[in-house]
Amino acid sequence: VAGDVPGDVAGGVDVGELAARLDAAAREVRAIPRLTDGLPPGTELGVDAAYRVQRAVIERRRARGERLAGVKMGFTSRAKMIQMGVDDVIWGLLTDAMLVESSVDVSRLVHPRIEPEIAFLIGRPVRSAADVDTAVAGVAVGFEVLDSRYRDFSFTLPDVIADNASAAGFGVGPWHAPDRVADLTNVGLVMEIDGRVAQTGSSAAILGDPLRSLRAAARLAGQAGITLEPGWIVLAGAATAAVPLPAGAHVRVTGAGLGRVEVTA
Ligand code: OOG
């Protein structure tokens, strides 16, 4: 994975400096103003530059020993687009440090939220969307913990792209062989918090079919020169709006036919 070096300038913005700002906010558990609010006059943070900032943030994490573990798709459902006020599909990168086993330390997060997901396990290298059909080794119900590094969880599209699509953590339930899953286009999803139903939805909300989201992930990664490696996980995107994840909460996400995954905050 090629990274941007500090001082790299795109659209007049200093990619390395913006990445350092986001990385520090995450490490110091502190919300910062949106990048797009503080740009020097005459400069602009476009979508391409925002992805360069995202990559530079990931490179900083890799320099500290984290390894790439997958890809997440964002805003693949209307519910999320409406909740966050944006209207384009985005993607971000997952690292091994983001994988949540049974509990997530929310004291390390600014204003965490959680949402139900459909997850894919990659079994063979994927370099383009054409590789996807033979590459899926497993399907699972999952969750994603989001944490915007921006004040009030408020951002424009380039801001959230630069902030690695608000990625903070993720977990998956038991893997199922893809040919054992009857129909991925309408998996009922229920997210309970402390035994109360917090969100319900259908995988149909994810671009009509989560496989479409996986193909988009493969295409976007391929364009960025990233191969989806065996063992990587792709989060297809939330099927519902995200809800706050307070300390002490116990969350259970169930997918019809896919079992469930639980996490304690
Ligand atoms: C951005 C991440 C969106 C999804 O599943 O739509 C996302 C955010 O809402 O903060 O992961």
Side-chain angles (χ1 to χ4, degrees):
V1 179
D4 284 293
V5 290
D8 187 3
V9 169
V13 298
D14 184 336
V15 168
E17 191 273 321
L18 296 181
R21 230 190 273 173
L22 284 166
D23 191 45
R27 299 187 78 191
E28 294 160 21
V29 196
R30 163 173 73 70
I32 58 172
R34 310 193 289 189
L35 301 184
T36 53
D37 286 341
L39 294 174
T43 66
E44 197 193 351
L45 184 66
V47 163
D48 289 348
Y51 276 112
R52 294 172 69 176
V53 175
Q54 178 191 112
R55 189 69 85 83
V57 171
I58 289 292
E59 288 308 315
R60 296 179 76 96
R61 298 180 71 126
R62 279 164 42 103
R64 293 195 292 271
E66 293 182 35
R67 284 179 309 178
L68 292 181
V71 164
K72 63 157 288 179
M73 296 297 290
F75 306 133
T76 51
S77 73
R78 293 283 305 152
K80 286 290 309 186
M81 285 188 183
I82 291 166
Q83 180 182 28
M84 305 316 295
V86 299
D87 56 7
D88 232 332
V89 169
I90 64 172
W91 69 296
L93 288 159
L94 303 172
T95 74
D96 56 348
M98 298 179 194
L99 182 63
V100 173
E101 295 293 350
S102 58
S103 70
V104 53
D105 181 3
V106 288
S107 74
R108 299 293 312 149
L109 302 173
V110 182
H111 33 208
R113 294 178 176 178
I114 190 162
E115 56 189 22
E117 296 264 347
I118 296 289
F120 294 99
L121 179 64
I122 301 299
R124 293 199 216 167
V126 174
R127 295 188 179 83
S128 75
D131 295 336
V132 160
D133 291 338
T134 54
V136 179
V139 180
V141 65
F143 62 84
E144 186 176 12
V145 177
L146 299 175
D147 193 31
S148 177
R149 270 51 71 166
Y150 302 117
R151 212 175 275 160
D152 303 324
F153 226 114
S154 159
F155 42 68
T156 66
L157 195 67
D159 286 307
V160 67
I161 289 168
D163 188 24
N164 197 25
S166 307
F170 67 100
V172 292
W175 292 113
H176 298 264
D179 55 357
R180 294 290 180 90
V181 179
D183 183 8
L184 263 191
T185 64
N186 189 14
V187 176
L189 293 162
V190 180
M191 184 165 71
E192 292 160 88
I193 302 195
D194 297 328
R196 279 195 207 95
V197 174
Q199 290 285 340
T200 59
S202 162
S203 62
I206 305 163
L207 296 180
D209 179 352
L211 269 172
R212 208 168 276 152
S213 180
L214 176 60
R215 284 193 202 101
R219 178 173 48 80
L220 291 163
Q223 284 167 0
I226 294 176
T227 300
L228 307 184
E229 302 287 354
W232 279 25
I233 290 169
V234 176
L235 298 178
T240 71
V243 302
L245 179 63
H250 182 80
V251 183
R252 175 192 292 156
V253 181
T254 309
L258 293 178
R260 64 187 190 211
V261 58
E262 304 194 40
V263 62
T264 301

